Amino acid sequence: MPEPSPSVSAAPTDPAPGAIAVTSPPSAAPPKPVLTAQEIAALVERGRALFDAGDLAAARLFFRRAANAGDAAAALAMGSTYDPDVLSKRFVRGIGANAEEARIWYERAREMGSPEGKGRLETLLAHR
């Protein structure tokens, strides 16, 4: 009859005196999706086509993905899908405008280097 193999204890061992314990840093925000410039351009283009067709929910999916990959134009476009002024000029009804959400996306666009982001923020805040 074979002898049972020795059991391995999962209990942690005490570090040697004077040893420094190394721990992993807390998990940071998830990394940005890695997309090529061509993929980002395609996402933004498709988002614009959907926005122009009035499908804001679908447009937001494409703009969000490109914006989360670091594209300022996509963040700006994302803001416009929430901007009450933009939506009223397009005669969009039945889908909620959200000035606060627009502000957040316009600020992101500005932080990403969009010169238009600052202007959109000022216009949005002036109409509150």
Side-chain angles (χ1 to χ4, degrees):
M1 178 179 242
E3 289 188 33
S5 58
S7 64
V8 177
S9 171
T13 59
D14 289 331
I20 298 174
V22 178
T23 60
S24 300
S27 176
K32 288 183 184 176
V34 179
L35 298 172
T36 66
Q38 186 176 12
E39 290 169 325
I40 290 172
L43 289 169
V44 173
E45 182 179 329
R46 182 68 178 141
R48 284 194 177 126
L50 290 163
F51 188 47
D52 291 343
D55 191 348
L56 298 184
R60 287 173 180 165
L61 294 173
F62 286 89
F63 291 148
R64 183 182 314 273
R65 183 153 184 226
N68 286 341
D71 188 73
L76 190 69
M78 188 70 177
S80 33
T81 70
Y82 289 101
D83 191 322
D85 292 335
V86 172
L87 296 181
S88 69
K89 288 176 186 171
R90 289 176 168 260
F91 303 105
V92 173
R93 303 285 184 258
I95 195 155
N98 184 329
E100 180 60 20
E101 195 71 24
R103 182 193 64 75
I104 290 167
W105 283 103
Y106 288 156
E107 282 183 0
R108 276 189 71 186
R110 182 184 51 82
E111 290 167 1
M112 291 178 187
S114 170
E116 197 175 340
K118 181 180 179 189
R120 294 269 187 106
L121 269 171
E122 291 169 356
T123 302
L124 181 69
L125 295 174
H127 289 120
R128 281 189 160 185

